[in-house]
Amino acid sequence: MAEGGREVAARTVLQQCLYAKLQVKPPDQDSEAEWAEIHRGLVIYVCFFKGADNAVIPKMVSSLLNVKLSEPDSGKHVSVLDLPGDVLIVPQATLGGRVKGRGMQYHYNAGKEQGMELYSQLVAQCQHVLEDNPKWAEAGAVLRHGTYGNRQVLQLNTNGPYTHLVEF
Amino acid sequence: MAEGGREVAARTVLQQCLYAKLQVKPPDQDSEAEWAEIHRGLVIYVCFFKGADNAVIPKMVSSLLNVKLSEPDSGKHVSVLDLPGDVLIVPQATLGGRVKGRGMQYHYNAGKEQGMELYSQLVAQCQHVLEDNPKWAEAGAVLRHGTYGNRQVLQLNTNGPYTHLVEF
């Protein structure tokens, strides 16, 4: 439950980074692991809850890309669009967990198909908004994202993670 | 506000790691930066809110060290005490932020002195409980922590951060 008793549709944790590397395909017999890399920018961990629908996506995209959570070399914080910085979206179903005794329960998480659909839409709409922004696009910044359902093997290098929780 | 409208006293974000390195003293004219390092274990980002008092600390310590959030080499998740694994506590006041327009507000955060006092107690009581546990102490595991009020320059290497939010 969010403030005022409203149901939460999605939970995000945000960290700024100087560099991040995320495994997007684990190694197998025939090939090595594949990785997605970003440089200076924003890491977005995301989890969707039961009852979330498409309507939440545009609001999430607008907020995540426009809230001033990134530190430039000097001066006040700016958005990742204005930095302009890279973006790494990491599916993280564990964020929906609640402590129950000594274990965690995930009863409120979106089902796998629904979660994957919402995650895909979030990535696609972020990509669209980022590429539509001339400053961001011309800076050569990139959006990368993890593979839904995979283990998110992650390395992170920060100058201060500046961790925030934002729920929708 | 947490579930049921109860005021939240503290917010933690938890990530498991294989290795983490945190700056505990920035470089100055006379000396290089100092770092705290941990190997396999748990990173605890923590923020206290206005109105939090000492009473919350024992509950936090018990929950953070005993909830099964760590993956052993094989089998089910275990607590960081049972892993046994290292612990890195990172003060992270930004976790108390709320989105307001395009900015973040931190009006609900504990004041600096109160936050520092609660943080110090959390570290001390975690240390006490960990050292009192023969399995943990004999394994040579360590507790490390950031310097309250400093920039938390952090590097993190995970086999899947397994990110959780736990509020108290």
Side-chain angles (χ1 to χ4, degrees):
Chain A
M1 304 275 277
E3 297 155 46
R6 183 180 61 79
E7 292 289 330
V8 174
R11 176 173 292 161
T12 62
V13 167
L14 312 169
Q15 293 188 314
Q16 63 174 3
C17 73
L18 297 174
Y19 173 78
K21 176 181 172 180
L22 178 71
Q23 193 176 95
V24 292
K25 185 177 164 295
D28 59 28
Q29 283 188 319
D30 301 320
S31 56
E32 295 190 351
E34 289 175 19
W35 300 83
E37 283 184 319
I38 69 165
H39 291 87
R40 190 177 188 169
L42 186 66
V43 179
I44 302 171
Y45 306 90
V46 61
C47 171
F48 292 97
F49 290 98
K50 271 187 185 131
D53 63 28
N54 304 347
V56 76
I57 304 291
K59 191 183 168 196
M60 289 178 75
V61 173
S62 172
S63 184
L64 295 170
L65 302 183
N66 285 295
V67 173
K68 297 172 181 175
L69 289 170
S70 298
E71 290 170 295
D73 287 327
S74 62
K76 290 185 179 177
H77 287 83
V78 299
S79 70
V80 72
L81 267 168
D82 282 337
L83 190 57
D86 292 345
V87 176
L88 178 65
I89 305 179
V90 184
Q92 195 77 168
T94 50
L95 267 180
R98 293 187 185 199
V99 175
K100 173 80 174 181
R102 293 187 57 204
M104 299 297 301
Q105 288 186 336
Y106 303 94
H107 297 172
Y108 296 90
N109 278 39
K112 189 173 177 182
E113 281 188 25
Q114 183 200 12
M116 188 180 294
E117 168 65 19
L118 291 166
Y119 177 71
S120 300
Q121 288 193 24
L122 176 68
V123 170
Q125 291 189 33
C126 279
Q127 185 82 49
H128 183 73
V129 169
L130 290 165
E131 288 178 353
D132 251 19
N133 181 289
K135 184 178 174 186
W136 191 86
E138 287 163 17
V142 297
L143 167 72
R144 296 285 182 262
H145 65 93
T147 308
Y148 192 90
N150 274 17
R151 171 179 285 268
Q152 305 299 318
V153 176
L154 175 74
Q155 290 179 30
L156 188 69
N157 186 355
T158 83
N159 189 30
Y162 199 61
T163 313
H164 284 89
L165 170 73
V166 182
E167 293 182 330
F168 299 92
Chain B
M1 304 275 275
E3 299 155 43
R6 183 179 61 80
E7 292 288 331
V8 173
R11 176 172 291 160
T12 61
V13 167
L14 312 170
Q15 294 188 312
Q16 64 173 3
C17 73
L18 296 175
Y19 173 78
K21 177 182 171 179
L22 179 70
Q23 194 177 94
V24 291
K25 185 176 165 296
D28 59 27
Q29 284 188 317
D30 301 320
S31 56
E32 296 191 349
E34 290 175 18
W35 299 82
E37 282 185 319
I38 68 165
H39 291 88
R40 190 177 188 171
L42 186 66
V43 179
I44 302 171
Y45 306 90
V46 62
C47 171
F48 291 98
F49 290 98
K50 271 189 184 129
D53 63 28
N54 304 348
V56 76
I57 304 291
K59 192 183 167 197
M60 290 179 74
V61 173
S62 172
S63 186
L64 295 170
L65 302 183
N66 285 296
V67 173
K68 297 172 181 176
L69 290 169
S70 298
E71 289 170 294
D73 288 326
S74 62
K76 291 185 178 177
H77 288 83
V78 298
S79 71
V80 73
L81 268 168
D82 283 337
L83 188 57
D86 292 346
V87 176
L88 178 66
I89 304 178
V90 184
Q92 194 76 167
T94 51
L95 267 181
R98 292 186 184 199
V99 175
K100 172 79 174 181
R102 293 187 58 204
M104 298 298 301
Q105 288 186 336
Y106 303 93
H107 296 173
Y108 296 89
N109 279 38
K112 189 174 176 182
E113 281 188 26
Q114 183 199 11
M116 188 179 294
E117 169 64 20
L118 291 166
Y119 177 72
S120 300
Q121 289 193 23
L122 176 68
V123 170
Q125 291 190 33
C126 279
Q127 185 82 49
H128 183 73
V129 170
L130 289 164
E131 287 178 352
D132 252 18
N133 182 290
K135 184 177 174 185
W136 189 88
E138 286 163 18
V142 297
L143 168 72
R144 296 286 181 262
H145 65 93
T147 308
Y148 191 91
N150 273 17
R151 170 179 287 269
Q152 304 299 317
V153 177
L154 175 74
Q155 290 179 30
L156 187 69
N157 186 355
T158 82
N159 189 31
Y162 199 62
T163 314
H164 285 91
L165 170 74
V166 182
E167 294 181 330
F168 298 92

